[in-house]
Structures are given as C-alpha cells and as structure tokens.
Amino acid sequence: MAARINPSILTADFANLERELGRIATADLVHVDVMDNHFVPNLTFGPRMVESLQRVSPLPLDVHLMIDDPDRWAPGYAEVGAFSVTFHAEAAADPVTLARRLRSLGARAGIAVKPGTAIEPYLELLPEFDQVLVMTVEPGFGGQSFIESTMPKLALLREAVSGSGLDVWLQVDGGINERTIVTAAEAGADTFVAGSSVFNAGEPAEQIALLRAAASGHVH
Ligand code: DX5
Ligand code: ZN
C-alpha cells in the first residue's frame, strides 16, 4: 500500500497560505491544525479560515482539532467542507455520537490520542471511524522530536484493523522525517503528517517525494 503524506501547514508562512498550498500540491491531503489555546497552549485557525483554505487548496483538507468541547465545535468544520475532521478522545464527551454526526455531514471522522492516552478503550469503536491519529509528540507545536514509545499503539491498531477488514487509516503526527517515517510505517501507520520536515525543506515537493520513498515498502 502507498503511504499517504499530509503536510501540516502549521510551519508554513501564514501570510502566504495560498502560495504555500501550491508548494505541496503533490502531497495527498493538507493537514490543518486547529488549536484553541485551551486544549493546547497555542492558537491557530477557526472554521472561516478553513473555509477560505478549502476554496484555494489543490488538495482536500485533513482537519486536526486540538480543541476543547469538540462535541459542540467539530461539526462546523465538516459543514465548511473539510474532507476529514479528527477530534481528540481526551476532549470529547461522546465520541461515537460526534463521529456519526461528522459522517452524516459528509466528512471522514477521525479520533486522535495524545502520547500518554491508551488506545485500548477505543479499539471496539473502530467501525465508527475512518481514521485514528496517534500523536507522536505532545500536541501544540511543530518541530518537536518523535516519541518512539507511542509505537505499540500503532501495532495494536494495525492488528485490530487488519483483523476486522475495516478500512480505517492509521495516522501519525509529530516529528515525522525520512527516518522516523520508516519506524512509524513498520509499526503500522499508513498516513503521515509532516510539518517542519516539509516546510523547512528548501523544496517541499522534493521532501514529500523523499518521505514517500522512505515509507514505501514499509507500509503494511
Ligand atoms: C502538533 C501538530 C502537528 C505539527 C507537526 O500539535 O498536530 O500537526 O504540525 O509538526 P512537525 O512535523 O514539525 O512535528
Ligand atoms: Zn496535527
């Protein structure tokens, strides 16, 4: 299976986002990190920004909500046309009802876990989701180092997904570069978010190709 590469625009030039989107047009999806200064100590975009990005993006938007009370706020991102909406398990009061609502609005539903959050309680909910995001850094900032101790969660997820025949994408986010992508792919990930490694590269398209090549042959 081919690896999906989703560059995160968190490290892009916020004053020139349309141009930045053009530099990553060979990727699979654009990862948009929504932060509310409550769930994480950082503040980024809201739904109107996502709507504007959607209008000019050559690729569908993969929205990662690092916000409190996603039960209330996540559907708004599906309503403005996000391809996928991923909310945090730690923040959601009723993940299943929220996932169903997102799907009914036409978005893929995703659930994310921080490095310290166990995945076992969510394995039985896999049919309700289109993707699971295993954070490989503490959410909040780009440019942090990959936390390898998160990898056993991917192995559990990969086993559960393969055994069930479900088509659930397994995403990693944080500290992904041409070395750590191999570790994450071998552990079971098939979808890779990369922020600083793509946007700090001289030529983002070359880095995207490098990441794809590094992961290929290692994705289950
Ligand atoms: C972190 C964000 C990530 C971030 C990754 O909270 O969810 O998407 O942009 O950045 P890098 O790839 O630099 O670790
Ligand atoms: Zn993210």
Side-chain angles (χ1 to χ4, degrees), residues 60-99:
L61 303 186
D62 174 44
V63 174
H64 175 196
L65 299 177
M66 285 159 277
I67 63 172
D68 279 344
D69 201 5
D71 305 74
R72 175 172 178 191
W73 300 111
Y77 293 86
E79 279 162 1
V80 296
F83 176 78
S84 51
V85 178
T86 298
F87 58 86
H88 268 268
E90 302 86 357
D94 185 350
V96 169
T97 300
L98 179 53

Side-chain angles (χ1 to χ4, degrees), residues 47-207:
R48 280 211 55 227
M49 188 76 180
V50 170
E51 187 175 22
S52 298
L53 288 169
Q54 182 77 71
R55 233 178 281 128
V56 297
S57 177
L59 299 172
L61 303 186
D62 174 44
V63 174
H64 175 196
L65 299 177
M66 285 159 277
I67 63 172
D68 279 344
D69 201 5
D71 305 74
R72 175 172 178 191
W73 300 111
Y77 293 86
E79 279 162 1
V80 296
F83 176 78
S84 51
V85 178
T86 298
F87 58 86
H88 268 268
E90 302 86 357
D94 185 350
V96 169
T97 300
L98 179 53
R100 289 179 183 170
R101 175 107 180 95
L102 293 171
R103 281 176 159 179
S104 77
L105 290 166
R108 290 172 57 89
I111 188 161
V113 288
K114 298 203 276 189
T117 301
I119 200 66
E120 284 85 350
Y122 302 100
L123 294 177
E124 64 186 27
L125 304 184
L126 283 174
E128 303 286 347
F129 291 94
D130 301 293
Q131 63 184 31
V132 180
L133 167 51
V134 173
M135 288 302 298
T136 43
V137 298
E138 286 300 334
F141 299 93
Q144 304 180 78
S145 298
F146 180 80
I147 301 173
E148 192 155 352
S149 59
T150 55
M151 292 298 98
K153 286 193 258 187
L154 280 164
L156 280 176
L157 283 163
R158 176 51 63 203
E159 196 186 322
V161 168
S162 301
S164 67
L166 294 166
D167 182 21
V168 180
W169 297 356
L170 301 182
Q171 189 174 59
V172 283
D173 181 8
I176 297 297
N177 57 36
E178 58 278 22
R179 290 175 303 282
T180 56
I181 198 170
V182 176
T183 305
E186 284 177 345
D190 54 26
T191 307
F192 305 88
V193 176
S196 51
S197 90
V198 168
F199 279 101
N200 290 344
E203 189 39 74
E206 276 172 23
Q207 184 64 16

